[in-house]
Amino acid sequence: MGLRGGAFFCKAIVFVFNFVVFLGGLAILGIGIWTAIDRSYISQIIGTFTFAAAGYVLMAGGVIIVLISFLACFGALREIKCMLLTYFIILLLIFLILLASVVLAAIFKDELEGVMKETMNDTLKYNYGGNSTIDQDITLAWDEVQTRLNCCAVADSGWQTYRDSEWYKRQERIPGAIDITERKYVPPSCCVRVLIDFWNPNRGETYWNQAVCQSPQGSMPPKTKDGATNPYVFERGCYGKGYEYLIEHAWILLGMGIAVALMLLGGMISSMCLYRNIESD
């Protein structure tokens, strides 16, 4: 086999483009590892492995991209048409799968939100504060989410949910309380924290007023008719705070999506250009 006129240009494009694709694959692999490790706690409270699974999908995608970029470079170097055609077909399939995923996510957006909210409420009620290993994992996950996102329960001003939880039912009454059934309304992770030393942030944080945050003094959670007036407990729910976090970082996801789409299209165009210019024996 040989090359027709102008094919050397296509060959150079395939090499340069797939080197960029190779680097992109490594970057996606790294992001996938970070997502699976650092964000897996969120998947615990929504009852699925959505975020952790997303990390594993990114890792798998990164490995696949690295492998197919090598396939394209090797096929271009050796001028093997079947390798270039295989490379084109793989990229086309990936592009169609991603396109279908975006369409399905847009169609079922409301259903997914409803399922996530319901599952978050269920894990808070039936698993938070329980004794089983799964319950303990979910409890730690909720505490980490509330601490990181500065939120409490699922909905805004949704402290009432904790009164239906295993954590609330299992705890002892508050020492010295007049009402013998009086218990702490929210866990410590729902309480506002401040720096121990403003001039030395490395010393860490402490609770602003944990006793008032958790105890029913004055206008305390659960929500009263007058609304939330307790400044020591987080008012925002974790679903809303998590949604805002995703919106704030949506430009990163959008940029990655556009970059991936351009890489796929560029790979298909360059490989087919070279494929058509390789002469058969």
Side-chain angles (χ1 to χ4, degrees):
M1 292 186 290
L3 292 177
R4 297 174 180 172
F8 286 105
F9 177 71
C10 291
K11 190 173 184 178
I13 290 179
V14 170
F15 271 107
V16 173
F17 176 81
N18 280 281
F19 177 73
V20 176
V21 171
F22 177 81
L23 296 178
L26 292 178
I28 292 174
L29 178 60
I31 294 173
I33 294 173
W34 173 80
T35 302
I37 294 176
D38 191 59
R39 294 293 169 187
S40 60
Y41 65 91
I42 297 180
S43 67
Q44 294 280 355
I45 69 172
I46 63 175
T48 67
F49 292 98
T50 303
F51 285 86
Y56 299 135
V57 169
L58 287 173
M59 285 189 285
V63 172
I64 292 173
I65 289 174
V66 169
L67 291 177
I68 63 175
S69 64
F70 172 78
L71 178 68
C73 289
F74 186 80
L77 179 65
R78 301 299 298 271
E79 300 174 16
I80 303 175
K81 297 185 72 173
C82 65
M83 279 193 174
L84 292 172
L85 182 60
T86 302
Y87 172 74
F88 174 85
I89 293 174
I90 292 174
L91 290 187
L92 179 61
L93 289 175
I94 294 175
F95 182 81
L96 293 176
I97 291 172
L98 291 177
L99 182 62
S101 300
V102 171
V103 173
L104 289 175
I107 293 175
F108 295 104
K109 175 178 178 293
D110 292 338
E111 287 82 354
L112 290 173
E113 288 182 355
V115 170
M116 287 180 64
K117 287 180 180 178
E118 181 179 357
T119 310
M120 288 176 71
N121 275 303
D122 287 344
T123 58
L124 191 61
K125 290 180 181 178
Y126 306 121
N127 300 107
Y128 190 89
N131 289 329
S132 71
T133 301
I134 295 178
D135 291 344
Q136 292 173 7
D137 289 341
I138 291 177
T139 300
L140 292 174
W142 262 110
D143 287 338
E144 189 167 1
V145 168
Q146 292 178 150
T147 299
R148 289 199 184 193
L149 299 183
N150 294 333
C151 58
C152 186
V154 181
D156 292 348
S157 303
W159 313 292
Q160 179 70 35
T161 306
Y162 269 111
R163 299 194 70 178
D164 299 323
S165 69
E166 290 297 315
W167 169 81
Y168 185 82
K169 297 172 183 177
R170 290 173 179 272
Q171 66 174 292
E172 301 290 337
R173 73 179 184 89
I174 298 176
I178 298 176
D179 185 351
I180 61 173
T181 63
E182 204 168 85
R183 299 183 177 98
K184 296 176 181 178
Y185 282 144
V186 293
S189 56
C190 278
C191 299
V192 177
R193 300 172 305 279
V194 294
L195 291 173
I196 296 175
D197 186 347
F198 180 80
W199 303 107
N200 186 11
N202 292 328
R203 293 189 59 190
E205 297 178 328
T206 186
Y207 295 111
W208 187 9
N209 194 328
Q210 183 178 350
V212 176
C213 169
Q214 294 183 281
S215 305
Q217 302 174 21
S219 180
M220 293 295 300
K223 185 173 63 173
T224 65
K225 295 181 180 180
D226 297 329
T229 58
N230 177 12
Y232 306 111
V233 64
F234 295 125
E235 180 181 356
R236 294 298 311 278
C238 293
Y239 181 84
K241 289 285 286 188
Y243 183 80
E244 288 178 1
Y245 177 86
L246 292 178
I247 293 299
E248 289 173 1
H249 295 79
W251 64 273
I252 299 177
L253 301 176
L254 179 62
M256 287 181 60
I258 294 175
V260 169
L262 292 177
M263 284 195 301
L264 293 174
L265 290 174
M268 287 187 286
I269 293 172
S270 61
S271 63
M272 191 50 57
C273 171
L274 182 57
Y275 176 87
R276 289 173 59 86
N277 281 279
I278 293 178
E279 295 179 345
S280 301
D281 291 330

